[in-house]
Amino acid sequence: MIPVKYLKRNSGYEINGLWYPRVTSICKIIAKPGIEKWLANQGSFYAMQKKRKKITGWGTLVHEVVEKILLGRMPQIDSDICPSIDAFLEWMKKHKIDVFGIEKRVTSKKHSYSGTLDVLGEIDGKVGILDLKTSSSIWDDHFIQTAAYLEAYNEKFSKKAETYWILRIDQYQECSICGAKKREKSGEPVIKEGKKRCNHKWKKVKGVCELKEASNIKRDLDTFLTAKKLWELSNRSWLSKVRNYPNKLKYQTS
Ligand SMILES: [Zn+2]
């Protein structure tokens, strides 16, 4: 059995003597479209882990560079992420952006969870929370996660944030014959769409930067809180041993 101490550290934060589960850990309970197929296609568990680590590393690098740029610095840019960063810089030129903070820890005492938001700021006159993603598209769970940050942020601060956005930064190569898209974030190429039998001819790498704003904040938060209940239920055996979890009594059934 995995020690409770390890599970606590892995899925939450200790804040002023209390333990709060992390937003990203809770959101893992939500099924990701396509992930099972992807996992099944990776050969072995080891190969999958290795690839996933590389993709995560690529995303982390983009995150770091983008956050530095948002803080007004111009860091060294690795050639691997250049098209993505160029697309982001182009996007920045077209919008009025004021950054108030990055990597900010927020905690909801009301709902007992904690998390770290990417960017707090004002975009084109609206104050909100920006979450950076480097995935090949924007999924519903990205909004659910960010809704949780908004709720926690607004619980504590009097100057409220009114919205949230997902900023997706990505890059790919398109086949000029069949339109397939190739991404090489993990070292090995991942090809999607297009035709299988095509003798692909790849165009040069294209960067993408797209912003999507929340469309239904209440629904996203409700979904998060439901996911949290489900997460508590499926982790109840060890959660019941976490003495400093403030939500302890609420999820325990008789
Ligand atoms: Zn092709």
Side-chain angles (χ1 to χ4, degrees):
M1 225 176 83
I2 307 164
V4 172
K5 211 170 87 182
Y6 174 84
L7 291 161
K8 275 176 82 175
R9 201 175 48 223
N10 245 291
S11 47
Y13 297 116
E14 210 89 41
I15 300 158
N16 300 329
L18 293 172
W19 180 85
Y20 295 93
R22 240 194 312 269
V23 170
T24 47
S25 304
I26 293 164
C27 286
K28 279 181 189 154
I29 201 89
I30 304 166
K32 311 274 181 296
I35 192 92
E36 282 180 23
K37 199 178 159 205
W38 185 84
L39 291 173
N41 279 326
Q42 302 314 309
S44 66
F45 182 72
Y46 175 73
M48 177 278 287
Q49 273 188 318
K50 217 172 129 186
K51 210 169 192 180
R52 187 136 84 174
K53 215 172 169 182
K54 274 194 182 163
I55 295 174
T56 308
W58 190 92
T60 306
L61 193 60
V62 172
H63 259 82
E64 283 170 5
V65 169
V66 165
E67 285 176 352
K68 277 181 189 151
I69 294 171
L70 284 171
L71 290 174
R73 285 179 235 148
M74 199 55 210
Q76 273 257 297
I77 297 161
D78 196 293
S79 62
D80 281 358
I81 63 167
C82 243
S84 293
I85 301 303
D86 282 345
F88 168 67
L89 291 170
E90 272 307 305
W91 176 84
M92 254 187 115
K93 277 190 213 158
K94 291 181 222 139
H95 299 273
K96 205 191 163 295
I97 306 155
D98 224 344
V99 174
F100 307 150
I102 64 156
E103 296 288 327
K104 205 173 164 62
R105 171 84 58 85
V106 287
T107 303
S108 169
K109 288 184 180 157
K110 188 177 161 196
H111 302 291
S112 302
Y113 67 81
S114 189
T116 307
L117 60 87
D118 284 337
V119 184
L120 174 75
E122 193 176 315
I123 301 176
D124 301 329
K126 272 188 176 179
V127 174
I129 290 161
L130 181 75
D131 209 49
L132 302 167
K133 293 291 172 201
T134 52
S135 44
S136 57
S137 45
I138 294 174
W139 309 115
D140 284 346
D141 65 297
H142 295 156
F143 288 104
I144 295 162
Q145 183 189 337
T146 318
Y149 298 145
L150 182 83
E151 173 74 8
Y153 177 82
N154 283 344
E155 204 178 280
K156 185 172 174 190
F157 297 93
S158 55
K159 193 180 187 303
K160 305 287 184 218
E162 57 176 308
T163 192
Y164 44 86
W165 309 268
I166 306 297
L167 186 69
R168 187 177 74 87
I169 303 169
D170 179 30
Q171 63 189 52
Y172 65 90
Q173 279 176 279
E174 196 181 20
C175 170
S176 57
I177 304 163
C178 74
K181 285 179 180 132
K182 180 169 82 162
R183 290 179 174 81
E184 283 188 287
K185 298 168 188 172
S186 63
E188 285 158 80
V190 177
I191 299 167
K192 280 181 184 168
E193 301 165 50
K195 291 200 175 94
K196 267 212 168 117
R197 285 170 171 269
C198 174
N199 209 342
H200 301 306
K201 267 185 100 162
W202 302 114
K203 296 187 208 169
K204 73 178 201 340
V205 186
K206 192 176 185 291
V208 185
C209 185
E210 69 164 325
L211 185 80
K212 253 195 195 171
E213 190 175 345
S215 61
N216 195 332
I217 296 175
K218 194 190 170 295
R219 184 199 59 197
D220 289 345
L221 180 67
D222 283 348
T223 310
F224 173 77
L225 295 174
T226 306
K228 184 170 178 277
K229 277 185 197 153
L230 193 60
W231 177 85
E232 281 173 341
L233 201 67
S234 53
N235 290 280
R236 65 185 182 283
S237 59
W238 69 270
L239 278 174
S240 63
K241 294 179 190 119
V242 180
R243 265 185 239 121
N244 59 346
Y245 179 35
N247 207 29
K248 202 179 167 189
L249 289 171
K250 287 186 219 162
Y251 72 84
Q252 273 180 335
T253 47
S254 55

